[in-house]
């Protein structure tokens, strides 16, 4: 991995390994991402206890389908991580405001959450703290972390499309149907519907984020001769930043701290990614730091939600151990990914 593509665009060589691989070798990572996204986003987080694992039937189509669509669109258009994460932000707004409407519906929040009342913007009908948390949280943990891990696990097709046209079409249908099932289920239970201005405003924000995703990084920036930091340092910084984001205050300091952390990490990672040697190991380290935050945060949320019974604590422990094992397996694949010849190089 060299520093020749600081804008995160792929360096395409004469061969594309993804084209030589059979369908099972490409479908396997797609299925893995489909399942891993909701497992990290909701179960490892502790927002949904492991005793409700049956909820995967509803959550996977929306979470996993959304992650797959974002990943496939990004790779098919030759874009990189800035595009992927901005599309993740668009997904976060879409889910929280138009699908489950958690951003607007106070009944969807657990009783211990005081962020909504503490940072409520009455004119808009939502909490600034929740808006920052939902948007960034989905972009990082629902989309970015699972994609980084699964792509590292399959170095021969890590940056090439996994789905054909039919597969992508089916995924889109599954995502829409899963989202409708969740929307209707919540509406039938609560009877809540966001106001037309709220829905229109949210749709506009989603559209702007999608446009921004394909505008950012259009012009490559020159690489620097400085060496990239060691992956362990990148992972440590990622863990500290993500942990600070996770435990940010629930008053108005919360969204302020969250935005500062996002801005600071954007600047730091952008500069680091332009350095010589930046590659797969560094991206995986960032994902690992964020994964570790949910590993301890899940137990905290179980306690806050009042669902920390024996079954759920055992289930959470199994999830954490499984996440750590998965990360270690991905880490072992990094040298092979870096040494491959003829692969796409995406920052």
């Amino acid at each position: 991995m060299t520093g020749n593509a600081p804008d995160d665009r792929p360096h395409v060589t004469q061969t594309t390994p993804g084209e030589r691989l059979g369908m099972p070798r490409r479908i396997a990572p797609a299925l893995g991402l489909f399942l891993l996204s909701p497992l990290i986003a909701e179960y490892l987080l502790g927002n949904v206890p492991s005793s409700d694992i049956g909820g995967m039937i509803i959550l996977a189509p929306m979470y996993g389908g959304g992650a797959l669509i974002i990943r496939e669109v990004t790779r098919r258009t030759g874009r990189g991580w800035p595009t992927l994460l901005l599309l993740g932000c668009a997904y976060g707004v879409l889910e929280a405001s138009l699908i489950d409407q958690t951003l607007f519906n106070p009944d969807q929040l657990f009783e211990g959450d005081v962020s909504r009342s503490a940072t409520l913007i009455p004119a808009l009908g939502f909490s600034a703290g929740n808006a920052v948390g939902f948007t960034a949280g989905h972009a990082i943990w629902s989309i970015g972390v699972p994609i980084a891990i699964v792509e590292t696990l399959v170095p021969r097709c890590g940056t090439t499309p996994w789905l054909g046209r039919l597969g992508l079409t089916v995924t889109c249908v599954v995502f829409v149907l899963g989202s409708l099932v969740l929307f209707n289920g919540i509406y039938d239970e609560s009877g809540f519907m966001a106001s037309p201005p709220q829905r229109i405003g949210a749709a506009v924000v989603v559209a702007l984020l999608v446009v921004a995703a394909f505008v950012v990084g259009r012009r490559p920036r020159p690489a620097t001769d400085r060496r990239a930091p060691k992956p362990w340092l990148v992972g440590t910084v990622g863990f500290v930043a993500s942990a600070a984001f996770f435990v940010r205050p629930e008053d108005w300091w919360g969204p302020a701290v969250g935005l500062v952390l996002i801005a600071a990490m954007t600047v730091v990672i952008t500069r680091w990614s332009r350095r010589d040697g930046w590659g797969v190991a560094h991206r995986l380290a960032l994902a690992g730091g964020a994964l570790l935050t949910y590993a301890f945060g899940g137990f905290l949320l179980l306690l806050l939600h009042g669902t920390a019974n024996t079954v759920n604590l055992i289930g959470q422990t199994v999830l954490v151990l499984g996440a750590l094992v998965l990360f270690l397996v991905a880490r072992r694949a990094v040298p092979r990914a870096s040494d491959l010849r003829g692969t796409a190089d995406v920052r």
Side-chain angles (χ1 to χ4, degrees):
M1 187 72 70
T2 65
N4 295 329
D7 66 328
D8 199 21
R9 296 190 183 196
H11 174 68
V12 181
T13 58
Q14 292 181 350
T15 60
T16 306
E19 295 178 354
R20 297 198 303 268
L21 299 177
M23 182 178 295
R25 295 284 297 276
R26 291 182 287 111
I27 294 301
L31 179 60
L33 178 58
F34 185 80
L35 298 175
L36 186 61
S37 177
L39 282 173
I40 292 177
E42 293 291 351
Y43 291 92
L44 186 63
L45 171 63
N47 197 42
V48 178
S50 56
S51 58
D52 292 336
I53 193 65
M56 281 284 289
I57 297 175
I58 297 177
L59 295 176
M62 182 181 67
Y63 280 97
L68 258 179
I69 293 169
I70 288 173
R71 193 261 171 199
E72 289 298 298
V73 169
T74 300
R75 298 314 184 196
R76 283 171 174 269
T77 55
R79 311 294 294 186
W81 279 91
T83 294
L84 194 149
L85 289 175
L86 279 170
L87 289 177
C89 289
Y91 169 87
V93 175
L94 176 67
E95 179 185 327
S97 60
L98 297 176
I99 298 177
D100 63 28
Q101 300 188 90
T102 309
L103 184 63
F104 302 122
N105 184 1
D107 293 335
Q108 287 300 108
L109 302 174
F110 70 95
E111 294 180 0
D113 183 11
V114 300
S115 178
R116 176 178 171 83
S117 59
T119 62
L120 182 66
I121 306 174
L124 300 178
F126 65 80
S127 157
N130 288 339
V132 173
F134 294 156
T135 303
H138 283 304
I140 297 170
W141 283 280
S142 303
I143 306 299
V145 170
I147 289 176
I149 292 174
V150 176
E151 286 193 342
T152 306
L153 287 169
V154 287
R156 291 189 177 277
C157 57
T159 57
T160 58
W162 296 334
L163 303 176
R165 292 183 179 178
L166 177 60
L168 184 57
T169 300
V170 170
T171 303
C172 290
V173 172
V174 169
F175 170 72
V176 171
L177 291 178
S179 299
L180 286 175
V181 168
L182 184 64
F183 173 84
N184 288 329
I186 293 175
Y187 179 74
D188 290 342
E189 180 180 347
S190 66
F192 177 86
M193 179 69 71
S195 68
Q198 287 175 326
R199 283 177 281 159
I200 293 172
V204 170
V205 171
V206 170
L208 290 175
L209 286 169
V210 171
V211 171
F214 292 97
V215 172
V216 67
R218 293 179 63 181
R219 295 183 179 181
R221 293 186 177 184
T224 65
D225 294 332
R226 299 182 62 183
R227 291 291 300 173
K230 297 294 184 180
W232 69 264
L233 176 59
V234 174
T236 301
V237 171
F239 169 69
V240 171
S242 60
F245 185 87
F246 185 81
V247 300
R248 67 194 184 281
E250 292 190 300
D251 57 16
W252 276 100
W253 280 106
V257 169
L259 291 174
V260 168
L261 285 169
I262 292 169
M265 288 300 292
T266 299
V267 172
V268 170
I269 295 173
T270 299
R271 292 184 175 180
W272 279 351
S273 66
R274 295 173 56 197
R275 295 185 180 184
D276 184 51
W278 179 270
V280 177
H282 299 87
R283 291 191 293 275
L284 181 63
L286 284 171
L291 194 69
L292 187 59
T293 293
Y294 267 22
F296 81 81
F299 289 102
L300 295 179
L301 250 63
L302 287 177
L303 291 171
L304 290 173
H305 289 185
T307 54
N309 55 44
T310 302
V311 172
N312 289 334
L313 288 175
I314 292 175
Q316 190 68 20
T317 301
V318 171
L319 284 171
V320 169
L321 292 176
L324 294 178
V325 169
L326 186 64
F327 173 78
L328 292 176
V329 172
R331 182 64 185 86
R332 288 178 60 87
V334 167
R336 296 195 299 273
S338 301
D339 294 340
L340 281 175
R341 297 294 181 264
T343 59
D345 175 9
V346 180
R347 294 191 172 275

